[in-house]
Amino acid sequence: MHVVIMGCGRVGSTLAHSLEARDHTVAVVDQNPEAFRRLQPGFEGFTVAGVGFDREVLREAGIERAGAFAAVSSGDNSNIIAARVARETFGVHNVVARIYDSGRAEVYERLGIPTVATVRWTADQMLRRIVPEGAHSEWVDPSGSVKLAEVHVGAGWIGVPLPKLEAVTGARVAFLTRYGDGVLPGADTVVQDGDLVHLLMRADEVETVERVLAATPEVEH
């Protein structure tokens, strides 16, 4: 997959190398050419100096063939504008923006742009939103038999009630992360686009749960 990153600060440069390590191609955009010095000598992607929401700059970065776009510059407005241009003008479905003002995060997520306030961002969290896969362990009980993990849920599960998800997987939903906030689910809670699902399960069943949730659930007739 080709990924375009706007912003070559600490998070942007770390993200670029992490994506390359997973065999994705990367283009990094930054207004300041000096920022590209943060990239390690072994970086095999390419850099574009320019404004990250300029359409021609994005085209030069390969946005028209990109599978994902990450806006991680130092400006909230620039990040959101760039993310919306990537989504609405170039049709990139998987976009994510770094936000410094946590009060704006929910507003922007309702526009379809996943965001989290910068105090909770790390390059690893960015990577998991751009390339969601598998389960990310968050806690293991002292005996090692029970695990809490954030598990990627495939698009086919959107709209499915959580009780059905639990019945199919045998896991228990501990909580969701929705619009950047933790949510304790109720009996009528359904999976929404952009939700991060945190599950409690037996440690020896993690791989099975991953496979089930990566696939499209069977439709009841």
Side-chain angles (χ1 to χ4, degrees):
M1 179 174 66
H2 182 60
V3 182
V4 177
I5 299 171
M6 185 188 86
C8 196
R10 181 178 58 82
V11 173
S13 59
T14 301
L15 186 59
H17 290 294
S18 296
L19 287 164
E20 273 204 335
R22 297 185 177 211
D23 296 323
H24 300 292
T25 61
V26 181
V28 183
V29 178
D30 201 291
Q31 293 186 71
N32 180 12
E34 295 296 313
F36 300 132
R37 292 184 177 183
R38 293 188 176 93
L39 295 167
Q40 298 173 11
F43 179 65
E44 296 181 355
F46 62 99
T47 59
V48 180
V51 177
F53 49 81
D54 182 278
R55 289 166 175 78
E56 291 307 312
V57 169
L58 288 172
R59 286 192 178 96
E60 187 178 348
I63 194 69
E64 291 171 318
R65 60 185 174 89
F69 177 82
V72 293
S73 77
S74 59
D76 281 7
N77 290 338
S78 295
N79 288 343
I80 289 300
I81 292 170
R84 293 195 68 181
V85 169
R87 168 74 61 80
E88 297 168 13
T89 301
F90 294 103
V92 181
H93 176 72
N94 193 1
V95 300
V96 62
R98 183 186 190 187
I99 295 298
Y100 286 79
D101 182 355
S102 59
R104 300 182 182 183
E106 183 171 346
V107 175
Y108 290 136
E109 291 217 14
R110 292 190 185 281
L111 294 174
I113 308 297
T115 62
V116 176
T118 189
V119 294
R120 288 178 286 184
W121 270 124
T122 66
D124 181 62
Q125 288 172 312
M126 293 288 293
L127 184 65
R128 287 186 60 75
R129 295 305 290 264
I130 292 172
V131 191
E133 55 183 31
H136 175 65
S137 180
E138 297 175 312
W139 175 84
V140 180
D141 84 297
S143 72
S145 59
V146 177
K147 177 175 287 190
L148 172 66
E150 175 196 307
V151 182
H152 170 58
V153 177
W157 289 88
I158 294 172
V160 174
L162 292 182
K164 178 179 178 180
L165 182 150
E166 292 180 329
V168 172
T169 63
R172 180 171 298 177
V173 179
F175 67 99
L176 305 174
T177 300
R178 178 174 291 172
Y179 302 135
D181 293 323
V183 175
L184 291 175
D188 57 351
T189 303
V190 301
V191 179
Q192 293 185 12
D193 190 12
D195 281 353
L196 301 179
V197 182
H198 306 264
L199 295 173
L200 280 167
M201 68 200 98
R202 290 185 54 85
D204 58 3
E205 296 179 348
V206 172
E207 291 186 5
T208 300
V209 173
E210 287 178 1
R211 287 196 300 270
V212 171
L213 293 180
T216 301
E218 295 183 4
V219 178
E220 296 180 355
H221 298 286

